[in-house]
């Protein structure tokens, strides 16, 4: 595969159309001079049958079958490693990634997949059979990925060895007819052929051409970085494919909500949710722990950006290993804590009001900070307080309590029957509660949302008038439960919580290196022109040296004739055009200018001896 190559003919390195453009017949009369300007593989058509004539008998049939298998295998391999097939595979890979972005994936959010299946009775089973709920681990996506990987490997290895051979070799000798090449110049000089070739070697060497003398001409070549960039581009693609595959197989990502004062150890049981690659194991987790000491959040108080966070950071103390020394640091948004192969990102923030629940006897059965889920930018929050153990009602029966909670850090909405927060800071915190008693349903073993109550097996508390019991509490206030069921107090301390995402993404650095290498390699393959220049100096029939210069490139560029003209001018400075001998008399075949002044001094009409005459026969084919 090549980013810039076109289909070439059998070994010449140039297309038939390009040959016609420069006047070279398609039979390859340039020979070695026009070959190996690229290491692109040659496309071949399907020859029909590779077996040839089938000999009679079982041995003949077996031999013919073997030739067919080997021939078709080679043909399929050439097609797989061609640019056309590689581009098709790249297109299919990008096309296959579309459903992975639009359809919920089981490895990312299994609950969304379940909801999609429940809502789409027809599409759900169909998508499941097609593997659209796990695109990146499906058989068809993996097949495209592996085929593209094999295609790149099969392309890069032979081209690398071929290019190394070109670097170790010398530019090919000049073709017989230099005047057939795209850029050409010639003139006659009094300098000896050996002197001209020596001058050409020096000029080309100063222009960083690889040059040597072969027979009667100097052969030079430049622009090897074009093919180097092409190979780097392909190697970078392979590096990115390996890095992405490695990252998908060994990645891990987990989330943990931590209230101020609480801690976390990097073990699977500590995470709120965790997902990883197929080859990731619990032993691959980096051993560390940290405590959230304080969360600091400040906000704009005035102006159009009122409520926008100004400070958003978490002060933590962490240690590495079982007996690591405690270290203090601050984790900010987009400034993660890096420990070994893991990165700890700060992803969310909210409030956790501290509540105390007592039974009818006044005994504390629950005392903790309860995290609330933010609903808007002003941190209007909702949550659930669940008392699962240790509570007995007024009759001494074991029950569970649940409180639906609504919290605002800066209260607004008084007298309107609603409440909401008008600022994200703790300026006027209010906690609204309504209570339930019965069974929370947690003993069934079915996972529950920590921010919601399952009230299917619970009864709501009601006051003496039969109305639903609910109250808005300020810090320090208490809501009494009816019938001696106890009470719940909104303590004066309101803590904050922060959500941390711990990730391990091996291969991401290598993927970044591959991306930059691919960009630079592609730029080199597109903007660097590989070209060859030949300078032939021979003695003409009249004993005068004839100099010919010609250039050939992989693609016809406007810069090639310009560059050849510059090189010709430099050589011409030291091997100038030979003027006619003034003692030889007038040329009998020369015409007479009817407008010439017969009285003019012939010495005054001589050309300027310091002027460089135009190269004789200079042209662009």
């Amino acid at each position: 595969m090549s980013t810039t190559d076109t289909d070439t003919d059998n070994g010449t390195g140039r297309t038939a159309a390009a040959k016609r453009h420069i006047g070279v017949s398609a039979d390859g009369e340039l020979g070695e001079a026009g070959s190996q300007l690229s290491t692109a593989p040659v496309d071949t058509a399907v020859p029909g049958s590779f077996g040839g004539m089938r000999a009679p008998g079982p041995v003949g049939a077996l031999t013919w079958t073997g030739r067919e298998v080997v021939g078709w295998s080679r043909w399929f391999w050439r097609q797989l490693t061609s640019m056309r097939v590689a581009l098709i595979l790249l297109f299919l890979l990008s096309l296959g990634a579309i459903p992975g972005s639009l359809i919920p994936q089981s490895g990312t959010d299994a609950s969304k997949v379940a909801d999609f299946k429940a809502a789409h009775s027809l599409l759900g089973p169909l998508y499941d059979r097609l593997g659209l709920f796990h695109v990146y681990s499906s058989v068809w996506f993996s097949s495209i990925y592996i085929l593209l990987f094999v295609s790149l490997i099969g392309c890069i290895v032979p081209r690398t060895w071929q290019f190394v051979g070109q670097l170790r070799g010398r530019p090919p000798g000049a073709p017989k007819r230099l005047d057939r090449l795209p850029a050409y110049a010639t003139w006659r000089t009094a300098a000896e052929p050996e002197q001209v070739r020596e001058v050409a070697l020096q000029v080309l060497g100063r222009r960083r051409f690889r040059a040597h003398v072969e027979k009667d001409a100097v052969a030079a070549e430049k622009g090897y970085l074009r093919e180097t960039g092409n190979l780097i581009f392909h190697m970078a693609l392979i590096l990115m494919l390996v890095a992405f595959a490695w990252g998908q197989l060994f990645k891990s990502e987990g989330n943990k909500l931590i209230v101020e004062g609480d801690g976390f150890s990097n073990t699977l049981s500590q995470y709120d949710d965790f997902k990883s690659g197929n080859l990731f194991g619990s032993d691959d987790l980096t051993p560390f722990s940290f405590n959230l000491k304080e969360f600091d959040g400040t906000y704009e108080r005035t102006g159009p950006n009122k409520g926008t966070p100004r400070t958003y950071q978490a002060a933590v103390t962490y240690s590495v290993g079982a007996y690591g020394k405690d270290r203090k640091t601050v984790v900010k948004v987009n400034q993660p804590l890096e420990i070994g192969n893991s990165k700890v990102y700060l992803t969310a923030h909210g409030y956790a009001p501290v509540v105390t629940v007592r039974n009818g006897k006044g005994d504390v059965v629950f005392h903790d900070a309860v995290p609330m889920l933010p609903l808007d930018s002003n941190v209007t929050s909702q949550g659930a307080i669940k008392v699962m153990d240790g509570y007995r009602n007024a009759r001494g029966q074991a029950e569970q309590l649940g409180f639906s909670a609504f919290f605002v850090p800066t209260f607004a909405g008084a007298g309107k029957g609603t409440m909401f927060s008008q600022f994200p800071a703790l300026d006027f915190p209010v906690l609204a509660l309504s209570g339930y008693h019965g069974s929370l349903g947690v003993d069934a073993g079915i996972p529950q949302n920590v921010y919601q109550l399952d009230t299917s097996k619970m009864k709501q508390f009601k006051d003496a008038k039969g109305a639903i019991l609910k109250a808005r509490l300020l810090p320090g206030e208490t809501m009494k439960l009816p019938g001696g069921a106890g009470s719940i107090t909104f303590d004066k301390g309101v803590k904050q919580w922060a959500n941390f995402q711990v990730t391990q993404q091996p291969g991401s650095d290598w993927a970044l290196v591959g991306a930059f290498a691919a960009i630079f390699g592609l730029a080199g393959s597109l903007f660097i022109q590989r070209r060859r220049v030949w300078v032939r100096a021979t003695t003409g029939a009249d004993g005068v040296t004839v100099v010919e210069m010609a250039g050939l490139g992989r693609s016809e560029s406007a810069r090639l004739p310009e560059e050849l003209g510059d090189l010709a001018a430099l050589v011409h400075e030291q091997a100038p055009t030979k003027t006619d001998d003034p003692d030889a008399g007038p040329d009998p075949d020369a015409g007479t200018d009817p407008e010439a002044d017969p009285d003019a001094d012939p010495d005054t009409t001589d050309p300027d001896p310091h002027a460089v005459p135009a190269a004789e026969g200079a042209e662009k084919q």
Side-chain angles (χ1 to χ4, degrees):
M1 173 188 151
S2 170
T3 58
T4 58
D5 299 331
T6 57
D7 295 347
T8 58
D9 63 357
N10 294 331
T12 65
R14 301 189 61 81
T15 65
K19 286 186 171 186
R20 290 193 296 271
H21 177 73
I22 63 174
V24 181
S25 62
D27 59 1
E29 69 179 50
L30 278 179
E32 183 68 19
S35 67
Q36 293 185 345
L37 272 169
S38 170
T39 58
V42 179
D43 287 344
T44 56
V46 183
S49 175
F50 295 94
M53 297 297 295
R54 180 186 300 184
V59 176
L62 185 61
T63 304
W64 180 87
T65 303
R67 290 197 300 264
E68 282 284 293
V69 171
V70 172
W72 280 105
S73 299
R74 289 177 176 173
W75 181 82
F76 278 115
W77 176 254
R78 293 191 192 101
Q79 301 310 304
L80 181 60
T81 56
S82 67
M83 180 179 71
R84 183 186 305 108
V85 173
L87 290 177
I88 292 173
L89 290 173
L90 278 172
F91 175 74
L92 291 176
L93 196 68
S94 59
L95 199 64
I98 294 176
S101 303
L102 300 179
I103 300 173
Q105 301 294 293
S106 57
T108 304
D109 196 333
S111 61
K112 286 187 177 181
V113 173
D115 294 341
F116 186 92
K117 290 180 178 180
H120 302 82
S121 58
L122 180 61
L123 290 179
L126 178 61
Y127 284 2
D128 201 8
R129 284 193 292 269
L130 294 177
L132 298 183
F133 292 124
H134 50 91
V135 168
Y136 304 110
S137 59
S138 63
V139 174
W140 57 271
F141 190 87
S142 301
S143 300
I144 298 173
Y145 197 93
I146 293 173
L147 283 175
L148 178 59
F149 188 81
V150 173
S151 176
L152 291 172
I153 292 291
C155 177
I156 200 69
V157 171
R159 291 188 67 170
T160 300
W161 286 115
Q162 184 179 350
F163 185 57
V164 170
Q166 292 180 15
L167 291 177
R168 296 178 62 184
R170 289 184 170 187
K176 295 180 180 180
R177 297 289 303 275
L178 290 179
D179 57 344
R180 296 288 186 89
L181 298 184
Y184 174 77
T186 182
W187 70 93
R188 293 152 54 87
T189 181
E192 295 296 326
E194 292 79 6
Q195 296 176 345
V196 175
R197 289 192 285 268
E198 185 63 29
V199 169
L201 275 176
Q202 295 176 1
V203 170
L204 292 169
R206 287 197 299 268
R207 290 297 184 94
R208 298 188 300 277
F209 278 84
R210 292 179 58 196
H212 71 104
V213 177
E214 185 170 339
K215 297 181 181 179
D216 59 353
V218 175
E221 189 167 0
K222 187 179 182 181
Y224 288 93
L225 286 178
R226 176 190 180 93
E227 192 64 27
T228 303
N230 213 335
L231 294 175
I232 289 176
F233 173 76
H234 288 80
M235 292 179 182
L237 287 181
I238 295 174
L239 178 61
M240 286 191 293
L241 287 175
V242 172
F244 289 147
W246 186 268
Q248 288 296 317
L249 291 173
F250 291 93
K251 72 174 182 179
S252 69
E253 181 181 301
N255 290 281
K256 179 63 177 179
L257 186 149
I258 304 176
V259 180
E260 287 176 326
D262 292 344
F264 166 78
S265 296
N266 194 24
T267 59
L268 290 179
S269 59
Q270 290 277 301
Y271 284 100
D272 296 330
D273 64 83
F274 185 86
K275 53 181 178 289
S276 63
N278 294 334
L279 299 182
F280 183 87
S282 58
D283 294 337
D284 297 324
L285 289 171
T286 305
F288 69 89
S289 60
F290 67 89
N291 293 319
L292 175 60
K293 294 299 182 182
E294 182 183 7
F295 184 90
D296 183 19
T298 60
Y299 308 89
E300 291 285 349
R301 290 284 177 177
T302 59
N305 295 324
K306 181 180 178 180
T308 303
R310 296 181 57 187
T311 305
Y312 212 65
Q313 59 189 30
V316 300
T317 302
Y318 73 97
S319 62
V320 181
Y323 305 102
K325 183 180 178 181
D326 287 343
R327 306 175 186 176
K328 295 181 179 181
T329 189
V330 175
V331 183
K332 301 180 181 180
V333 177
N334 297 326
Q335 295 183 19
L337 168 63
E338 299 188 25
I339 305 175
N341 296 326
S342 299
K343 293 183 179 181
V344 182
Y345 292 91
L346 175 63
T347 59
H349 155 260
Y351 292 104
V354 180
V355 297
T356 301
V357 179
R358 293 178 173 83
N359 60 18
K361 297 180 180 180
D363 300 329
V364 176
V365 294
F366 180 87
H367 176 75
D368 205 353
V370 182
M372 297 289 166
L373 180 66
L375 301 177
D376 56 29
S377 59
N378 286 327
V379 203
T380 301
S381 309
Q382 72 173 10
I385 302 170
K386 302 179 182 182
V387 181
M388 294 178 284
D389 299 311
Y391 173 76
R392 291 183 178 273
N393 59 24
R395 297 187 297 272
Q397 298 173 341
E399 273 191 327
Q400 293 177 332
L401 296 179
F403 298 89
S404 179
F406 201 78
F407 176 80
V408 291
T410 303
F411 176 76
K416 298 180 181 180
T418 60
M419 63 178 290
F420 57 90
S421 177
Q422 61 183 359
F423 196 74
L426 285 172
D427 293 344
F428 186 18
V430 174
L431 178 65
L433 298 172
S434 61
Y436 298 82
H437 62 99
S439 174
L440 291 169
V442 295
D443 298 332
I446 300 176
Q448 288 188 353
N449 190 328
V450 296
Y451 302 106
Q452 294 180 349
L453 285 177
D454 179 7
T455 60
S456 59
K457 298 181 180 180
M458 305 191 78
K459 295 181 180 180
Q460 197 164 16
F461 285 110
K462 296 183 179 180
D463 59 19
K465 298 180 180 181
I468 296 175
L469 181 67
K470 56 184 179 181
R472 292 176 182 173
L473 304 180
L474 296 176
E477 293 184 344
T478 300
M479 180 178 76
K480 294 287 186 178
L481 300 179
S487 64
I488 179 170
T489 302
F490 177 21
D491 295 344
K492 292 185 177 181
V494 178
K495 295 185 177 181
Q496 301 186 71
W497 60 261
N499 191 79
F500 295 92
Q501 184 179 79
V502 184
T503 64
Q504 285 186 225
Q505 192 70 41
S508 57
D509 293 338
W510 287 108
L512 182 61
V513 171
F516 278 109
I519 293 173
F520 286 112
L522 183 60
S525 66
L526 291 176
F527 299 112
I528 297 176
Q529 298 295 324
R530 189 172 176 184
R531 60 272 194 201
R532 290 171 180 164
V533 172
W534 293 275
V535 183
R536 176 176 284 145
T538 57
T539 303
D542 57 356
V544 179
T545 300
V546 178
V547 181
E548 290 182 288
M549 293 186 67
L552 177 65
R554 280 209 56 248
S555 58
E556 281 61 58
S557 171
R559 294 183 56 189
L560 181 61
E562 180 182 348
E563 184 175 29
L564 185 70
D566 293 341
L567 294 172
L570 293 174
V571 176
H572 189 273
E573 288 179 359
Q574 302 185 51
T577 301
K578 183 181 183 303
T579 58
D580 292 336
D581 189 353
D583 298 332
D587 187 352
D589 297 329
T592 302
D593 186 357
E595 297 182 2
D597 185 359
D599 298 328
D601 186 355
D603 293 336
T604 62
T605 60
D606 287 343
D608 184 358
H610 299 289
V612 178
E616 177 185 349
E619 62 182 23
K620 176 184 176 184
Q621 298 290 341

